[in-house]
Structure formats: C-alpha cells, structure tokens
Amino acid sequence: MAHSPPLLKVDRVDASHVNETGNRQIVLKQVSVCVDAGEVVAVIGPSGSGKSTLLRLCNRLIEPDAGQILYEGRPISEINPPELRKQVGFLSQKPFLYQGSVRHNLSIPAKLAKKPMPDFAGDQVLELLDLCQVHSDWLDREARKLSVGQQQRVCLARVLMGHCRVLLLDEPTSALDPPTADALTQTFRKLALTGKLAILLVTHDLYLPKICADRMVVLLNGCVVEEGPVAELIRSPKNEAVRRFLVRTDAPALEDQT
C-alpha cells in the first residue's frame, strides 16, 4: 500500500538574501525537513543559522533559490499564498494583534475567508479557546492591553480559528515567563495529538524540544547537520559540531540523558 506524502516537506532548499553591504549571502543550503500530521518537529540552532528563514519559506513569505517545498505532496509554488496560509499557519516570535477586542481578533480568519462569524458560545470554539488557554472572559477586552503571554495565546487561537493543518512556530516562548512558557508548550503537544496538526517550530535552545517535540533537526551555518528523535540526539549526537553546540546550549540536559 502506498504511503501518503507528509503534510509538509522541505526538499533540498537553498535560500539567500542581500546583506547590508549589497552582497548576496547564502542563508540555507540543501535543507530538507519533513513533518507529518500529529508530529512536532523542532529545528534548533544558534542565531543566524537560518531557522526563521526556513519558516518564512514554508508559507511563501519569501521564495527559495532552489529546491522545493510541498504541502500534501503539491509544490507550494503552485498554491496562491493567501490560500496556502489558510492551511499553513504562522505564529511569529512577537505577538501581533489588531486594534480592538479579543473577539474581533479571533473573528478575522472568518472575515477574510468570507465565512460565518464564529459562535463564541458553541462547543467547538470553547474547546479551542480552552486548548489555547484563552479565557472566555477575555473576549470583550482590548486585545493589545493583555499581557505578552496572553497575547501570544490569543494569536495562537486566531491562527487555529482558520483551521490550518500545519503550524509554524518561530521562537514561540522566548518572550514568556517560565510558567506561561510551560503552559503554552503543553498546548503545542496537545494540538499535535488531538488536532492532528503538523507542527514545525524553531528555537535556539533545548527546552522546547525536550518538552514537546518528537524529532529534532540541528541547523548550523544554514545546513542540516543532524536529525533524529529528541532524546536520542541529545544523548548521543554523532556530529562533533552538534555535540559542542548542545553542550554550550544545555549542558545539564546532556548529563541527565546519559
């Protein structure tokens, strides 16, 4: 029996940009990553390794120089960007909310899709809000007056109100306090399992992958240098550069896994 393709597949992608001196600088080189439904894949690497560029490529905020990215086996270059972004949602590092209430912000995906407004008293919406830890008594509050952690959870709920199947997360807990980060991390794990989402997240540290990811990809200098199950890769990395990076990033984690 033929296997269905992964929900999201990055296949030997190259990317570059023009730097401040006017020269073209290579950002990603022959990068390949797959994410399937129900799976959380973490891309880890230092600042400047190309992590955010990878996410931006996956919903056509930018285009690759070479290689291709496929959604359900179809090249995303063939999918109109607004249509693609309904299926491949993006949660940026810094929450962005429109002026107005939380209810207004959560209604935006329906308005853009010209669909009926959400039933905020209905079970489906209430379950989604509960999963994202967005309290119903926030609905009529000014969205931009919420705390950063609350805003991030509202942004997550807004993305999911569009019924996306792939979720791209860019350093989603970097601006949050530890308790809020822990709570949001558990949400990502539940979303993958209960919503059958494919989640691709990028981070510069090991905390997030250890808590919620199935597999981890290590990106150094724009190249994938190693990948595998999170615990296995942390315990016994095969690449010496990866070992040095992991030691610098989270030395106690290495000790705990051995």
Side-chain angles (χ1 to χ4, degrees):
M1 182 183 295
H3 292 289
S4 58
L7 268 182
L8 183 70
K9 181 178 181 180
V10 179
D11 187 20
R12 294 172 293 179
V13 160
D14 294 344
S16 63
H17 69 82
V18 177
N19 62 24
E20 60 274 7
T21 64
N23 297 315
R24 184 157 292 277
Q25 179 178 338
I26 295 173
V27 181
L28 296 174
K29 295 171 282 187
Q30 293 290 289
V31 168
S32 295
V33 180
C34 290
V35 196
D36 214 339
E39 187 177 33
V40 181
V41 175
V43 178
I44 185 169
S47 297
S49 58
K51 303 186 303 298
S52 294
T53 296
L54 175 62
L55 289 192
R56 291 167 64 82
L57 287 164
C58 287
N59 73 345
R60 296 195 66 187
L61 290 170
I62 55 176
E63 302 290 344
D65 297 335
Q68 63 178 349
I69 301 169
L70 301 102
Y71 171 70
E72 292 190 310
R74 181 185 176 190
I76 66 171
S77 58
E78 299 176 359
I79 306 174
N80 188 38
E83 291 301 316
L84 175 69
R85 291 165 194 159
K86 293 176 185 177
Q87 301 297 319
V88 183
F90 183 89
L91 187 66
S92 62
Q93 182 174 358
K94 295 181 179 179
F96 172 78
L97 292 168
Y98 296 94
Q99 186 172 357
S101 68
V102 170
R103 188 189 305 271
H104 166 71
N105 273 269
L106 296 178
S107 299
I108 286 173
K111 291 179 180 178
L112 292 175
K114 297 181 179 179
K115 293 184 176 180
M117 290 297 100
D119 177 7
F120 287 100
D123 290 343
Q124 186 175 8
V125 172
L126 290 174
E127 286 174 10
L128 187 149
L129 295 181
D130 182 64
L131 187 60
C132 296
Q133 300 172 67
V134 173
H135 302 293
S136 57
D137 59 4
W138 298 358
L139 287 172
D140 295 311
R141 293 173 60 182
E142 176 62 41
R144 291 182 176 178
K145 292 185 178 179
L146 297 175
S147 71
V148 173
Q150 291 169 338
Q151 288 187 36
Q152 191 75 321
R153 282 176 272 169
V154 171
C155 287
L156 175 62
R158 185 177 60 195
V159 170
L160 297 176
M161 292 288 274
H163 305 290
C164 66
R165 298 191 63 206
V166 177
L167 183 58
L168 309 173
L169 304 173
D170 189 2
E171 301 277 8
T173 60
S174 62
L176 307 181
D177 59 84
T180 303
D182 285 345
L184 196 59
T185 299
Q186 294 302 325
T187 296
F188 300 147
R189 181 74 257 165
K190 290 178 184 176
L191 284 169
L193 294 175
T194 62
K196 301 299 183 184
L197 285 170
I199 297 181
L200 180 64
L201 66 89
V202 303
T203 181
H204 66 281
D205 61 42
L206 283 175
Y207 181 74
L208 210 49
K210 287 194 299 176
I211 298 298
C212 74
D214 300 291
R215 291 188 293 115
M216 187 163 71
V217 175
V218 183
L219 197 62
L220 299 177
N221 299 317
C223 298
V224 173
V225 290
E226 194 164 348
E227 60 181 302
V230 175
E232 180 181 319
L233 201 157
I234 291 174
R235 180 174 60 249
S236 54
K238 298 177 177 63
N239 184 288
E240 183 58 30
V242 172
R243 173 170 285 278
R244 290 196 300 268
F245 171 71
L246 294 179
V247 168
R248 290 196 307 270
T249 305
D250 192 53
L254 287 171
E255 295 168 3
D256 292 343
Q257 297 289 335
T258 56

